[in-house]
Each structure stands twice: as C-alpha cells, then as structure tokens.
DNA sequence: CAGTATCCAGGGCGATACTG
DNA sequence: CAGTATCGCCCTGGATACTG
C-alpha cells in the first residue's frame, strides 16, 4: 500500500455516497449535465418525490450538487454537479470498475460451487 | 468522463463497503495483516462482539475476507483479506484521498461562511 | 477465546395526500 | 412543476446475557 489509510477519511467519503438513490443521482448529473427535478424523477423509476427531494437536499448541503431556482410560473428548478462534486468521480469510477469485475467474480464462484 | 458509469455496478461495490464497521475492519486487515477476533475487537473501541461477528460474516460471504478456525483450546480464529478483497483497495484509496480533501474543503467553506 | 441469543431504539425509506 | 406533511414498516445497529 502507498501509505496507511485512515478509516475516518474513508468514512467521510462513504457517508456522502450512502443513500439509496445518491449514486444514481450523481451518475445522472455527471452523464447528462444539468437536470430539472422531474427530469431526474422520470429517469429514476421507483423513486418518490419525497425521497428525491431529501437526497438532493443532502447532496446540496455537502456542496456536491447545486440547486438553482428560476422564479417563473410554473416553477423551474435545475440541479447540477458542482466542481467539488466532480471530485467524487474517481471514487465512482473505481467502484464501477470493481463492480464490473465483481460480476465476473460472482459468476466464477457459482461455476466452482455449482 | 472515460465512459458512462453504470449505477448498478457502482452500487455493487457500495453494498460491500456499507456497514458501520466494514471499512474499519478492511483497513485494519490491509494495514496489519492477519488478525485474531479479539485483536480486531480491541482495535475497534466501541464495537460489540455481535456486530464484529456480523460484519465479519458478511464480508466473508462476499469472499472479501477469509476466516480460518484452528481447532485448539482455547479456540483461535484468524481473519485476513483475500486476494479478491485486496481488489477493493483502489476504492478505499480513492475514498481516503477524497476524505483528506473533503476536510480541507469543509474548513474552507466554514471560513467563507463563518 | 470466540462466539450466540434476545430484546429494543432510531433512522432510512416508502406510500399517500396535500400545496404555492 | 416542484415541492411538504404525515404515517408506518423494516432493518441496522446497540445493550446485555449466556455458551462450547
């Protein structure tokens, strides 16, 4: 290992990403750029308005995403990743890469045991 | 971005790491090598036997750690990271690096707002 | 030493209804 | 359109006691 990893720091990152819909929200914003509330909602089948609002607010509180309200009728609210939020991308990529290999590993285990 | 990240894969990785004590356990095993049950326990102030057992069993079920029982009296059980478990290290490092920067970022925000 | 078994509190998350 | 408000389930995790 490059150096000793500190558990507290790891958990700081983990606490940001933990939440049933947070990774999905982040990936949608990273992949598709700025999105309106209902645009996000439609792209996440199964999420309720309450949960989407809650998860967005939590990410906003951590300065991971930005929320911009346009004073129009009907209301328009746009969400986007902040520069700081983009710094999470290496973590998401590392997880994605691992997830891809994890699928293969599980298949291998099943072949061995099954 | 290098390519589109898939939410399911990211969550596969996340689901392994989520658990109040799992990152701590993994870092202990990565930093210190094979450890006995009470050795881990002593290095994690606040954890109960039940929780340590539970988290260890879950990591074992995912083939992230290995559990070896020595049929002795008194019993000896040793835990270690598997080769597969070591593949999580890039994720933990990415989280650690981010966590370090997150601390600085929070301090910066507080200076601005406070 | 290395666990189980049991009970219990808090919070995450969902379903549903209502609103500026 | 983009939210709040309320209710309730379940699951994680903690406290405590017991055991091969």
């Amino acid at each position: 290992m490059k150096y000793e990893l500190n558990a507290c720091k790891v958990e700081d990152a983990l606490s940001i990403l933990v939440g049933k819909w947070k990774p999905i929200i982040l990936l949608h914003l990273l992949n598709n750029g700025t999105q309106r509330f209902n645009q996000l909602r439609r792209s996440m089948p199964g999420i309720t308005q309450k949960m989407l609002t809650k998860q967005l607010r939590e990410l906003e509180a951590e300065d991971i995403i930005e929320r911009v309200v346009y004073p129009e009728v009907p209301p328009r609210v746009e969400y986007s990743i902040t520069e700081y939020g983009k710094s999470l991308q290496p973590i998401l990529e590392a997880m994605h890469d691992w997830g891809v290999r994890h699928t293969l590993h599980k298949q291998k285990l099943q072949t061995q045991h099954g």
Side-chain angles (χ1 to χ4, degrees), chain A:
Chain A
M1 194 170 319
K2 289 186 301 188
Y3 44 80
E4 288 242 329
L5 299 177
N6 178 289
C8 303
K9 301 303 176 191
V10 171
E11 282 165 357
D12 282 348
L14 210 48
S15 71
I16 302 289
L17 267 357
V18 168
K20 184 163 175 186
W21 305 92
K22 283 181 188 171
I24 310 184
I25 292 171
L26 291 178
L27 293 177
H28 268 291
L29 292 178
L30 281 166
N31 288 334
N32 309 314
T34 301
Q35 300 271 302
R36 298 183 60 169
F37 184 85
N38 273 354
Q39 213 170 354
L40 283 170
R41 187 154 128 80
R42 277 190 295 273
S43 55
M44 287 178 253
I47 197 171
T48 61
Q49 284 187 320
K50 179 190 135 185
M51 280 313 298
L52 181 52
T53 301
K54 192 184 168 233
Q55 310 266 306
L56 287 169
R57 290 292 191 285
E58 289 173 10
L59 290 169
E60 189 195 1
E62 298 285 352
D63 195 30
I64 304 300
I65 66 173
E66 189 187 16
R67 176 174 180 263
V68 179
V69 182
Y70 296 88
E72 306 171 354
V73 177
R76 177 161 60 104
V77 180
E78 290 187 346
Y79 294 91
S80 57
I81 297 270
T82 61
E83 280 308 308
Y84 185 56
K86 285 179 187 165
S87 67
L88 287 171
Q89 203 168 299
I91 301 179
L92 294 169
E93 283 175 3
M95 287 184 167
H96 175 87
D97 293 352
W98 191 89
V100 170
R101 282 187 291 146
H102 187 55
T103 308
L104 300 176
H105 188 77
K106 271 198 288 197
Q107 285 171 7
K108 210 172 106 193
L109 282 182
Q110 282 176 7
T111 307
Q112 283 172 12
H113 299 167

